[in-house]
Amino acid sequence: MPFSCRHLLFLLLTAAALALAGCASRPPQPPPEPEMELPPLPDVRRVVLTYPRSKEMVDVIYFHSGDYDRDAMVKISHLLRDRRTGEERPIDPLLMDFLFDLLMRTGLPPTTVVEVTDGFRSAGTNADLVKVNGNAARESYHLQGKAMDFRVPLLPGPALGEIAKTMQRGGSAYYPSTGHTHIDTGPNRTWRTR
């Protein structure tokens, strides 16, 4: 190998070694921020839901023995059905956990009656609502069975909405024009309401 080739090879190897040493001397990158750990919920979880217009009521233990109770979730999904079309969709069990946790944080017992004003919405129902209601979202979590609107007669709505915002369980907002609180299991967020 001629001298100039050896010299070039030496320079290349030296440059590579310096580059690797530079990488090794960089300060370590901080680990990604861990997701906020939610407080544990009791081993037995109960909700009492009513739809005031039809006077239907569901009083169920929806979680026990380490799992969600399928029959209880079916009853919840039926109560939270699209009231215009009658269409049903499975309701996200985490939505019930959000509601249960919210009531627990207010100090109310699990026997507290929650008045549901809206649950699952079919695509047609949601599209029609968007046309007439500036508060309705085109891509609403109601379409996925991951949202509900409700009132708790024992609590002022604004207080309920504020507590929900602090919980890190999903989206939440209080609507003063209708007096209902919205919760969903989407990303943690809130928004302006009317």
Side-chain angles (χ1 to χ4, degrees):
M1 191 181 275
F3 177 76
S4 61
C5 285
R6 266 190 268 177
H7 183 65
L8 182 60
L9 182 60
F10 174 77
L11 290 174
L12 288 173
L13 289 173
T14 303
L18 288 172
L20 287 174
C23 288
S25 65
R26 286 186 191 157
Q29 298 296 317
E33 288 188 34
E35 289 186 28
M36 183 176 159
E37 193 168 319
L38 297 171
L41 295 176
D43 294 334
V44 175
R45 301 173 208 157
R46 175 182 179 183
V47 291
V48 181
L49 308 172
T50 185
Y51 188 74
R53 289 183 189 172
S54 65
K55 300 192 178 1
E56 291 171 78
M57 183 174 274
V58 170
D59 181 349
V60 291
I61 294 174
Y62 73 93
F63 185 94
H64 59 88
S65 307
D67 203 0
Y68 297 97
D69 184 287
R70 181 183 166 145
D71 292 337
M73 291 307 302
V74 166
K75 289 176 183 177
I76 290 168
S77 296
H78 181 69
L79 184 85
L80 271 65
R81 68 191 178 274
D82 183 314
R83 292 293 167 159
R84 190 182 77 155
T85 67
E87 187 179 337
E88 293 182 32
R89 181 177 183 134
I91 296 300
D92 184 354
L94 296 178
L95 185 63
M96 291 302 101
D97 283 347
F98 193 164
L99 178 64
F100 180 89
D101 193 8
L102 177 58
L103 293 176
M104 205 168 69
R105 289 178 192 226
T106 64
L108 292 173
T111 55
T112 300
V113 176
V114 175
E115 295 180 351
V116 176
T117 58
D118 200 6
F120 166 70
R121 285 184 211 144
S122 65
T125 296
N126 196 68
D128 289 346
L129 188 60
V130 167
K131 290 176 191 172
V132 297
N133 185 337
N135 286 324
R138 290 184 191 284
E139 301 298 323
S140 173
Y141 282 94
H142 286 279
L143 292 161
Q144 302 171 43
K146 295 183 173 188
M148 66 183 288
D149 300 337
F150 61 96
R151 294 183 191 95
V152 178
L154 294 176
L155 280 176
L160 201 59
E162 287 304 312
I163 295 167
K165 287 178 193 179
T166 68
M167 293 176 54
Q168 304 297 303
R169 284 193 175 271
S172 60
Y174 170 70
Y175 289 82
S177 61
T178 56
H180 78 267
T181 299
H182 168 100
I183 59 172
D184 66 56
T185 56
N188 295 327
R189 70 207 186 289
T190 191
W191 50 93
R192 280 193 182 166
T193 59
R194 299 189 281 269

